[in-house]
PDB file of all heavy atoms in Angstrom:
ATOM      1  N   ALA A  72     157.449  41.602 111.113  1.00  0.00           N
ATOM      2  CA  ALA A  72     156.680  40.364 111.251  1.00  0.00           C
ATOM      3  C   ALA A  72     157.638  39.199 111.453  1.00  0.00           C
ATOM      4  O   ALA A  72     157.867  38.403 110.551  1.00  0.00           O
ATOM      5  CB  ALA A  72     155.815  40.132 110.018  1.00  0.00           C
ATOM      6  N   THR A  75     156.647  35.604 110.450  1.00  0.00           N
ATOM      7  CA  THR A  75     156.147  35.357 109.100  1.00  0.00           C
ATOM      8  C   THR A  75     157.298  35.109 108.157  1.00  0.00           C
ATOM      9  O   THR A  75     158.238  35.875 108.106  1.00  0.00           O
ATOM     10  CB  THR A  75     155.354  36.571 108.587  1.00  0.00           C
ATOM     11  OG1 THR A  75     154.323  36.849 109.523  1.00  0.00           O
ATOM     12  CG2 THR A  75     154.749  36.290 107.214  1.00  0.00           C
ATOM     13  N   ALA A  76     157.233  34.057 107.380  1.00  0.00           N
ATOM     14  CA  ALA A  76     158.262  33.762 106.383  1.00  0.00           C
ATOM     15  C   ALA A  76     158.024  34.632 105.171  1.00  0.00           C
ATOM     16  O   ALA A  76     157.063  34.447 104.446  1.00  0.00           O
ATOM     17  CB  ALA A  76     158.214  32.285 105.991  1.00  0.00           C
ATOM     18  N   ILE A  77     158.941  35.565 104.937  1.00  0.00           N
ATOM     19  CA  ILE A  77     158.725  36.511 103.852  1.00  0.00           C
ATOM     20  C   ILE A  77     159.434  36.103 102.576  1.00  0.00           C
ATOM     21  O   ILE A  77     159.286  36.732 101.550  1.00  0.00           O
ATOM     22  CB  ILE A  77     159.204  37.911 104.253  1.00  0.00           C
ATOM     23  CG1 ILE A  77     160.710  37.882 104.473  1.00  0.00           C
ATOM     24  CG2 ILE A  77     158.472  38.427 105.452  1.00  0.00           C
ATOM     25  CD1 ILE A  77     161.342  39.232 104.531  1.00  0.00           C
ATOM     26  N   THR A  78     160.235  35.054 102.638  1.00  0.00           N
ATOM     27  CA  THR A  78     160.974  34.657 101.444  1.00  0.00           C
ATOM     28  C   THR A  78     160.188  33.684 100.586  1.00  0.00           C
ATOM     29  O   THR A  78     160.589  33.360  99.485  1.00  0.00           O
ATOM     30  CB  THR A  78     162.297  33.999 101.846  1.00  0.00           C
ATOM     31  OG1 THR A  78     162.029  32.909 102.724  1.00  0.00           O
ATOM     32  CG2 THR A  78     163.193  35.006 102.561  1.00  0.00           C
ATOM     33  N   VAL A  79     159.093  33.212 101.093  1.00  0.00           N
ATOM     34  CA  VAL A  79     158.270  32.286 100.327  1.00  0.00           C
ATOM     35  C   VAL A  79     157.013  33.007  99.879  1.00  0.00           C
ATOM     36  O   VAL A  79     156.291  33.576 100.696  1.00  0.00           O
ATOM     37  CB  VAL A  79     157.875  31.053 101.178  1.00  0.00           C
ATOM     38  CG1 VAL A  79     156.996  30.117 100.374  1.00  0.00           C
ATOM     39  CG2 VAL A  79     159.122  30.351 101.681  1.00  0.00           C
ATOM     40  N   GLU A  80     156.769  32.992  98.592  1.00  0.00           N
ATOM     41  CA  GLU A  80     155.628  33.732  98.063  1.00  0.00           C
ATOM     42  C   GLU A  80     154.320  33.104  98.499  1.00  0.00           C
ATOM     43  O   GLU A  80     154.125  31.897  98.393  1.00  0.00           O
ATOM     44  CB  GLU A  80     155.708  33.741  96.532  1.00  0.00           C
ATOM     45  CG  GLU A  80     154.623  34.572  95.907  1.00  0.00           C
ATOM     46  CD  GLU A  80     154.756  34.610  94.405  1.00  0.00           C
ATOM     47  OE1 GLU A  80     155.824  34.263  93.907  1.00  0.00           O
ATOM     48  OE2 GLU A  80     153.779  34.985  93.744  1.00  0.00           O
ATOM     49  N   LYS A  81     153.430  33.908  98.992  1.00  0.00           N
ATOM     50  CA  LYS A  81     152.117  33.416  99.410  1.00  0.00           C
ATOM     51  C   LYS A  81     151.232  33.270  98.194  1.00  0.00           C
ATOM     52  O   LYS A  81     151.120  34.192  97.393  1.00  0.00           O
ATOM     53  CB  LYS A  81     151.468  34.398 100.397  1.00  0.00           C
ATOM     54  CG  LYS A  81     152.256  34.600 101.677  1.00  0.00           C
ATOM     55  CD  LYS A  81     151.537  35.575 102.569  1.00  0.00           C
ATOM     56  CE  LYS A  81     152.326  35.821 103.842  1.00  0.00           C
ATOM     57  NZ  LYS A  81     153.569  36.540 103.587  1.00  0.00           N
ATOM     58  N   PRO A  82     150.590  32.127  98.030  1.00  0.00           N
ATOM     59  CA  PRO A  82     149.736  31.965  96.859  1.00  0.00           C
ATOM     60  C   PRO A  82     148.543  32.881  96.913  1.00  0.00           C
ATOM     61  O   PRO A  82     147.957  33.100  97.974  1.00  0.00           O
ATOM     62  CB  PRO A  82     149.293  30.493  96.967  1.00  0.00           C
ATOM     63  CG  PRO A  82     149.425  30.155  98.425  1.00  0.00           C
ATOM     64  CD  PRO A  82     150.576  30.969  98.930  1.00  0.00           C
ATOM     65  N   LEU A  83     148.208  33.473  95.785  1.00  0.00           N
ATOM     66  CA  LEU A  83     147.027  34.316  95.698  1.00  0.00           C
ATOM     67  C   LEU A  83     145.785  33.444  95.689  1.00  0.00           C
ATOM     68  O   LEU A  83     145.829  32.289  95.256  1.00  0.00           O
ATOM     69  CB  LEU A  83     147.067  35.147  94.415  1.00  0.00           C
ATOM     70  CG  LEU A  83     148.142  36.231  94.378  1.00  0.00           C
ATOM     71  CD1 LEU A  83     148.260  36.789  92.973  1.00  0.00           C
ATOM     72  CD2 LEU A  83     147.822  37.334  95.354  1.00  0.00           C
ATOM     73  N   PRO A  84     144.662  33.948  96.148  1.00  0.00           N
ATOM     74  CA  PRO A  84     143.424  33.176  96.049  1.00  0.00           C
ATOM     75  C   PRO A  84     143.178  32.732  94.621  1.00  0.00           C
ATOM     76  O   PRO A  84     143.513  33.429  93.673  1.00  0.00           O
ATOM     77  CB  PRO A  84     142.356  34.181  96.517  1.00  0.00           C
ATOM     78  CG  PRO A  84     143.096  35.135  97.390  1.00  0.00           C
ATOM     79  CD  PRO A  84     144.461  35.241  96.800  1.00  0.00           C
ATOM     80  N   ASN A 162     143.201  41.250  94.510  1.00  0.00           N
ATOM     81  CA  ASN A 162     143.448  39.901  95.007  1.00  0.00           C
ATOM     82  C   ASN A 162     144.706  39.829  95.865  1.00  0.00           C
ATOM     83  O   ASN A 162     145.544  38.936  95.707  1.00  0.00           O
ATOM     84  CB  ASN A 162     143.572  38.944  93.818  1.00  0.00           C
ATOM     85  CG  ASN A 162     143.015  37.570  94.128  1.00  0.00           C
ATOM     86  OD1 ASN A 162     142.253  37.405  95.068  1.00  0.00           O
ATOM     87  ND2 ASN A 162     143.398  36.590  93.331  1.00  0.00           N
ATOM     88  N   LEU A 163     144.854  40.779  96.774  1.00  0.00           N
ATOM     89  CA  LEU A 163     146.032  40.857  97.627  1.00  0.00           C
ATOM     90  C   LEU A 163     145.688  40.484  99.061  1.00  0.00           C
ATOM     91  O   LEU A 163     144.589  40.772  99.541  1.00  0.00           O
ATOM     92  CB  LEU A 163     146.607  42.274  97.617  1.00  0.00           C
ATOM     93  CG  LEU A 163     147.281  42.752  96.340  1.00  0.00           C
ATOM     94  CD1 LEU A 163     147.481  44.265  96.404  1.00  0.00           C
ATOM     95  CD2 LEU A 163     148.604  42.053  96.125  1.00  0.00           C
ATOM     96  N   GLU A 164     146.619  39.848  99.718  1.00  0.00           N
ATOM     97  CA  GLU A 164     146.472  39.592 101.147  1.00  0.00           C
ATOM     98  C   GLU A 164     146.940  40.833 101.898  1.00  0.00           C
ATOM     99  O   GLU A 164     147.987  41.406 101.569  1.00  0.00           O
ATOM    100  CB  GLU A 164     147.319  38.387 101.569  1.00  0.00           C
ATOM    101  CG  GLU A 164     147.205  38.051 103.047  1.00  0.00           C
ATOM    102  CD  GLU A 164     148.044  36.848 103.430  1.00  0.00           C
ATOM    103  OE1 GLU A 164     148.667  36.259 102.526  1.00  0.00           O
ATOM    104  OE2 GLU A 164     148.081  36.517 104.627  1.00  0.00           O
ATOM    105  N   LYS A 165     146.189  41.273 102.895  1.00  0.00           N
ATOM    106  CA  LYS A 165     146.557  42.481 103.626  1.00  0.00           C
ATOM    107  C   LYS A 165     147.602  42.150 104.679  1.00  0.00           C
ATOM    108  O   LYS A 165     147.309  41.592 105.739  1.00  0.00           O
ATOM    109  CB  LYS A 165     145.333  43.137 104.268  1.00  0.00           C
ATOM    110  CG  LYS A 165     145.659  44.500 104.874  1.00  0.00           C
ATOM    111  CD  LYS A 165     144.423  45.258 105.298  1.00  0.00           C
ATOM    112  CE  LYS A 165     144.791  46.663 105.788  1.00  0.00           C
ATOM    113  NZ  LYS A 165     143.617  47.455 106.174  1.00  0.00           N
ATOM    114  N   THR A 166     148.841  42.488 104.386  1.00  0.00           N
ATOM    115  CA  THR A 166     149.954  42.304 105.303  1.00  0.00           C
ATOM    116  C   THR A 166     150.681  43.644 105.426  1.00  0.00           C
ATOM    117  O   THR A 166     150.372  44.596 104.709  1.00  0.00           O
ATOM    118  CB  THR A 166     150.937  41.249 104.771  1.00  0.00           C
ATOM    119  OG1 THR A 166     151.492  41.719 103.529  1.00  0.00           O
ATOM    120  CG2 THR A 166     150.226  39.910 104.533  1.00  0.00           C
ATOM    121  N   PHE A 167     151.655  43.700 106.314  1.00  0.00           N
ATOM    122  CA  PHE A 167     152.441  44.928 106.425  1.00  0.00           C
ATOM    123  C   PHE A 167     153.118  45.230 105.090  1.00  0.00           C
ATOM    124  O   PHE A 167     153.184  46.385 104.663  1.00  0.00           O
ATOM    125  CB  PHE A 167     153.496  44.795 107.527  1.00  0.00           C
ATOM    126  CG  PHE A 167     154.358  46.022 107.663  1.00  0.00           C
ATOM    127  CD1 PHE A 167     153.949  47.078 108.470  1.00  0.00           C
ATOM    128  CD2 PHE A 167     155.556  46.147 106.972  1.00  0.00           C
ATOM    129  CE1 PHE A 167     154.725  48.226 108.586  1.00  0.00           C
ATOM    130  CE2 PHE A 167     156.333  47.285 107.078  1.00  0.00           C
ATOM    131  CZ  PHE A 167     155.923  48.328 107.895  1.00  0.00           C
ATOM    132  N   LYS A 168     153.621  44.221 104.430  1.00  0.00           N
ATOM    133  CA  LYS A 168     154.325  44.412 103.156  1.00  0.00           C
ATOM    134  C   LYS A 168     153.422  45.027 102.102  1.00  0.00           C
ATOM    135  O   LYS A 168     153.772  46.014 101.457  1.00  0.00           O
ATOM    136  CB  LYS A 168     154.870  43.094 102.627  1.00  0.00           C
ATOM    137  CG  LYS A 168     155.494  43.213 101.230  1.00  0.00           C
ATOM    138  CD  LYS A 168     155.762  41.840 100.623  1.00  0.00           C
ATOM    139  CE  LYS A 168     156.413  41.990  99.247  1.00  0.00           C
ATOM    140  NZ  LYS A 168     155.577  42.710  98.270  1.00  0.00           N
ATOM    141  N   THR A 169     152.251  44.436 101.886  1.00  0.00           N
ATOM    142  CA  THR A 169     151.371  44.936 100.836  1.00  0.00           C
ATOM    143  C   THR A 169     150.850  46.337 101.184  1.00  0.00           C
ATOM    144  O   THR A 169     150.771  47.208 100.318  1.00  0.00           O
ATOM    145  CB  THR A 169     150.182  43.980 100.599  1.00  0.00           C
ATOM    146  OG1 THR A 169     149.508  43.721 101.842  1.00  0.00           O
ATOM    147  CG2 THR A 169     150.662  42.661 100.010  1.00  0.00           C
ATOM    148  N   TRP A 256     154.962  44.148  89.961  1.00  0.00           N
ATOM    149  CA  TRP A 256     155.116  42.776  90.440  1.00  0.00           C
ATOM    150  C   TRP A 256     156.183  42.707  91.536  1.00  0.00           C
ATOM    151  O   TRP A 256     155.957  42.131  92.598  1.00  0.00           O
ATOM    152  CB  TRP A 256     155.474  41.852  89.287  1.00  0.00           C
ATOM    153  CG  TRP A 256     155.903  40.489  89.734  1.00  0.00           C
ATOM    154  CD1 TRP A 256     157.169  39.975  89.744  1.00  0.00           C
ATOM    155  CD2 TRP A 256     155.066  39.451  90.261  1.00  0.00           C
ATOM    156  NE1 TRP A 256     157.177  38.705  90.231  1.00  0.00           N
ATOM    157  CE2 TRP A 256     155.903  38.355  90.560  1.00  0.00           C
ATOM    158  CE3 TRP A 256     153.695  39.353  90.510  1.00  0.00           C
ATOM    159  CZ2 TRP A 256     155.401  37.170  91.094  1.00  0.00           C
ATOM    160  CZ3 TRP A 256     153.203  38.169  91.045  1.00  0.00           C
ATOM    161  CH2 TRP A 256     154.056  37.100  91.328  1.00  0.00           C
ATOM    162  N   PHE A 260     153.560  42.624  94.569  1.00  0.00           N
ATOM    163  CA  PHE A 260     153.054  41.258  94.577  1.00  0.00           C
ATOM    164  C   PHE A 260     154.078  40.197  94.975  1.00  0.00           C
ATOM    165  O   PHE A 260     153.761  39.259  95.691  1.00  0.00           O
ATOM    166  CB  PHE A 260     152.485  40.904  93.199  1.00  0.00           C
ATOM    167  CG  PHE A 260     151.203  41.591  92.860  1.00  0.00           C
ATOM    168  CD1 PHE A 260     151.191  42.874  92.342  1.00  0.00           C
ATOM    169  CD2 PHE A 260     149.978  40.960  93.072  1.00  0.00           C
ATOM    170  CE1 PHE A 260     150.009  43.524  92.038  1.00  0.00           C
ATOM    171  CE2 PHE A 260     148.779  41.588  92.777  1.00  0.00           C
ATOM    172  CZ  PHE A 260     148.798  42.874  92.257  1.00  0.00           C
ATOM    173  N   SER A 261     155.291  40.314  94.473  1.00  0.00           N
ATOM    174  CA  SER A 261     156.269  39.235  94.626  1.00  0.00           C
ATOM    175  C   SER A 261     156.897  39.215  96.006  1.00  0.00           C
ATOM    176  O   SER A 261     157.263  40.254  96.551  1.00  0.00           O
ATOM    177  CB  SER A 261     157.366  39.372  93.565  1.00  0.00           C
ATOM    178  OG  SER A 261     158.369  38.396  93.764  1.00  0.00           O
ATOM    179  N   ASP A 262     157.045  38.010  96.556  1.00  0.00           N
ATOM    180  CA  ASP A 262     157.753  37.828  97.815  1.00  0.00           C
ATOM    181  C   ASP A 262     159.066  37.072  97.629  1.00  0.00           C
ATOM    182  O   ASP A 262     159.879  37.019  98.545  1.00  0.00           O
ATOM    183  CB  ASP A 262     156.896  37.037  98.814  1.00  0.00           C
ATOM    184  CG  ASP A 262     155.782  37.879  99.398  1.00  0.00           C
ATOM    185  OD1 ASP A 262     155.988  39.092  99.558  1.00  0.00           O
ATOM    186  OD2 ASP A 262     154.703  37.329  99.673  1.00  0.00           O
ATOM    187  N   ASP A 263     159.250  36.475  96.457  1.00  0.00           N
ATOM    188  CA  ASP A 263     160.439  35.640  96.260  1.00  0.00           C
ATOM    189  C   ASP A 263     161.504  36.315  95.405  1.00  0.00           C
ATOM    190  O   ASP A 263     162.528  35.712  95.084  1.00  0.00           O
ATOM    191  CB  ASP A 263     160.057  34.297  95.631  1.00  0.00           C
ATOM    192  CG  ASP A 263     159.426  34.450  94.250  1.00  0.00           C
ATOM    193  OD1 ASP A 263     159.301  35.602  93.778  1.00  0.00           O
ATOM    194  OD2 ASP A 263     159.064  33.421  93.653  1.00  0.00           O
ATOM    195  N   ALA A 272     148.587  35.611  88.776  1.00  0.00           N
ATOM    196  CA  ALA A 272     148.930  36.948  89.250  1.00  0.00           C
ATOM    197  C   ALA A 272     149.066  37.944  88.107  1.00  0.00           C
ATOM    198  O   ALA A 272     148.931  39.153  88.325  1.00  0.00           O
ATOM    199  CB  ALA A 272     150.224  36.898  90.053  1.00  0.00           C
TER     200      ALA A 272
END
Side-chain angles (χ1 to χ4, degrees):
T75 304
I77 64 166
T78 56
V79 179
E80 184 178 344
K81 299 180 181 68
L83 291 169
N162 214 18
L163 290 166
E164 181 179 357
K165 188 170 185 178
T166 63
F167 179 87
K168 174 192 181 299
T169 53
W256 169 254
F260 289 83
S261 176
D262 285 327
D263 62 1

